């Protein structure tokens, strides 16, 4: 049975009302706070570490062999998804694509040009659907609270809070948003687009389509796969270029995920 670390953090549940009160300069508004559990990751496993872990699991295959198979699996999975296939990986579940597109006023005016993104979806396998029944949970400090405790120790204060000390109001969260400048030229792993606690490390990846190569992120970084540290809200756009020297024009208009 596994062990999942978690922390307890406060959240404002009536954010819309809070925003309206702030807009109207209503100082009498009292936000409604509820406390929630949030997972704290114990470690970050790279593909190499994960391959080593599989190899150590009484496997007859070495870490290098497993790593190569995993890398090739990713390449083949991408190829099959681009062919419009749904791929089952056994207990891991199934992978398939959905489309995001701009709408047209009439049926006969819709074309492939309206399709702006191909989104990869994961339909989880049965062994992942009920992790709750097999998990044990251990309460730990949030990273922010741990940093404050360490700061007090370094400053000569006792690590145990004095009576009357007030807890931190909330965990600082930042939003990560990544996108492709032109979805027909390449894609990004948009599953990472969400809120993270301050200081979180998140791996982002840009994958060029056939006939194109990754150019750079909007902040000038040239690495297609990179890890970003969330110490502020972050928005990045992946730019691609033609392998034949052509230019890439970003698509315009809004988009809507239409599902299957």
């Amino acid at each position: 049975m596994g062990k999942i670390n978690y922390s307890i953090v406060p959240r404002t549940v009536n954010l819309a009302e809070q925003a309206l009160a702030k807009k109207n300069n209503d100082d009498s508004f009292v936000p409604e706070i509820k406390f929630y559990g949030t997972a704290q990751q114990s470690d970050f496993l790279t593909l190499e570490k994960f391959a080593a872990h599989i190899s150590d699991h009484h496997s007859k295959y070495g870490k290098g062999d497993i790593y190569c198979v995993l890398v090739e699996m990713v390449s083949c999975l991408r190829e099959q998804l681009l062919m419009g296939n749904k791929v089952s990986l056994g207990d891991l579940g199934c992978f398939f694509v959905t489309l995001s597109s701009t709408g047209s006023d009439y049926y006969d005016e819709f074309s492939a040009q309206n399709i702006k993104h191909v989104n990869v979806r994961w339909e989880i396998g049965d062994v992942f659907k009920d992790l709750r029944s097999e998990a044990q949970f251990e309460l730990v400090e949030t990273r922010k609270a741990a940093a404050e405790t360490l700061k007090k120790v370094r400053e000569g204060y006792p690590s145990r809070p004095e009576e009357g000390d007030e807890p931190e109001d909330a965990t600082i969260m930042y939003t990560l948003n990544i996108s492709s400048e032109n979805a027909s030229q390449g894609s990004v792993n948009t599953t990472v687009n969400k809120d993270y606690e301050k200081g979180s490390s998140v791996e982002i990846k840009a994958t060029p389509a056939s006939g194109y190569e990754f150019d750079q992120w909007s902040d000038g970084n040239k690495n297609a796969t990179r890890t970003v540290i969330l110490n502020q809200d972050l928005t990045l756009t992946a730019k691609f270029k033609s392998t034949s020297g052509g230019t890439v024009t970003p698509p315009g208009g809004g988009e809507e995920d239409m599902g299957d």
Side-chain angles (χ1 to χ4, degrees):
M1 184 170 291
K3 182 189 72 174
I4 298 176
N5 292 337
Y6 74 98
S7 299
I8 301 173
V9 296
R11 295 278 190 267
T12 300
V13 297
N14 52 347
L15 290 174
E17 293 88 342
Q18 184 182 43
L20 181 61
K22 184 177 180 180
K23 179 180 179 181
N24 296 332
N25 296 317
D26 182 4
D27 296 331
S28 65
F29 176 79
V30 179
E32 181 183 355
I33 302 294
K34 289 190 177 181
F35 292 86
Y36 297 88
T38 181
Q40 298 286 338
Q41 278 71 47
S42 303
D43 194 8
F44 173 74
L45 272 67
T46 62
L47 189 61
E48 291 86 350
K49 283 185 178 180
F50 188 52
H53 174 77
I54 297 175
S55 178
D56 292 339
H57 249 237
H58 309 291
S59 173
K60 64 180 180 180
Y61 301 104
K63 178 185 73 175
D65 295 327
I66 294 172
Y67 175 81
C68 290
V69 169
L70 291 175
V71 170
E72 189 64 24
M73 181 197 74
V74 172
S75 176
C76 290
L77 177 60
R78 181 177 183 274
E79 177 185 353
Q80 291 299 316
L81 293 178
L82 284 171
M83 293 174 64
N85 295 327
K86 186 174 184 178
V87 180
S88 171
L89 295 180
D91 288 339
L92 182 61
C94 294
F95 290 81
F96 58 97
V97 298
T98 61
L99 304 178
S100 295
S101 62
T102 57
S104 65
D105 293 331
Y106 301 98
Y107 175 87
D108 57 1
E109 289 182 355
F110 187 92
S111 71
Q113 297 301 315
N114 291 76
I115 300 173
K116 302 304 179 185
H117 289 283
V118 176
N119 311 302
V120 178
R121 303 301 187 203
W122 174 38
E123 185 179 272
I124 64 174
D126 290 339
V127 297
F128 292 97
K129 290 182 178 179
D130 191 22
L131 297 182
R132 175 64 181 84
S133 64
E134 299 183 42
Q136 291 182 338
F137 302 93
E138 182 171 324
L139 178 62
V140 298
E141 287 186 307
T142 64
R143 284 185 287 270
K144 181 179 180 181
E148 290 297 325
T149 300
L150 180 59
K151 180 180 178 181
K152 286 189 175 183
V153 171
R154 288 175 175 172
E155 293 175 349
Y157 290 105
S159 58
R160 183 184 181 87
E162 295 291 342
E163 185 176 353
D165 279 357
E166 295 296 329
E168 294 293 335
D169 289 335
T171 299
I172 297 177
M173 306 291 288
Y174 290 120
T175 300
L176 173 64
N177 282 304
I178 65 171
S179 62
S180 170
E181 185 179 57
N182 190 324
S184 65
Q185 316 301 330
S187 61
V188 296
N189 55 330
T190 53
T191 54
V192 302
N193 285 347
K194 54 187 176 181
D195 293 338
Y196 295 87
E197 290 186 12
K198 179 181 179 181
S200 295
S201 299
V202 184
E203 184 180 84
I204 63 175
K205 183 177 181 181
T207 304
S210 177
Y212 295 87
E213 62 184 8
F214 175 76
D215 185 11
Q216 65 178 11
W217 294 96
S218 54
D219 64 353
N221 190 290
K222 298 287 188 179
N223 296 315
T225 300
R226 57 187 285 206
T227 298
V228 295
I229 309 297
L230 273 297
N231 287 316
Q232 60 182 0
D233 290 337
L234 185 60
T235 299
L236 293 171
T237 302
K239 302 179 180 181
F240 303 88
K241 59 184 179 181
S242 172
T243 53
S244 61
T247 59
V248 176
T249 303
E255 58 187 58
E256 178 183 1
D257 191 349
M258 302 302 292
D260 290 333

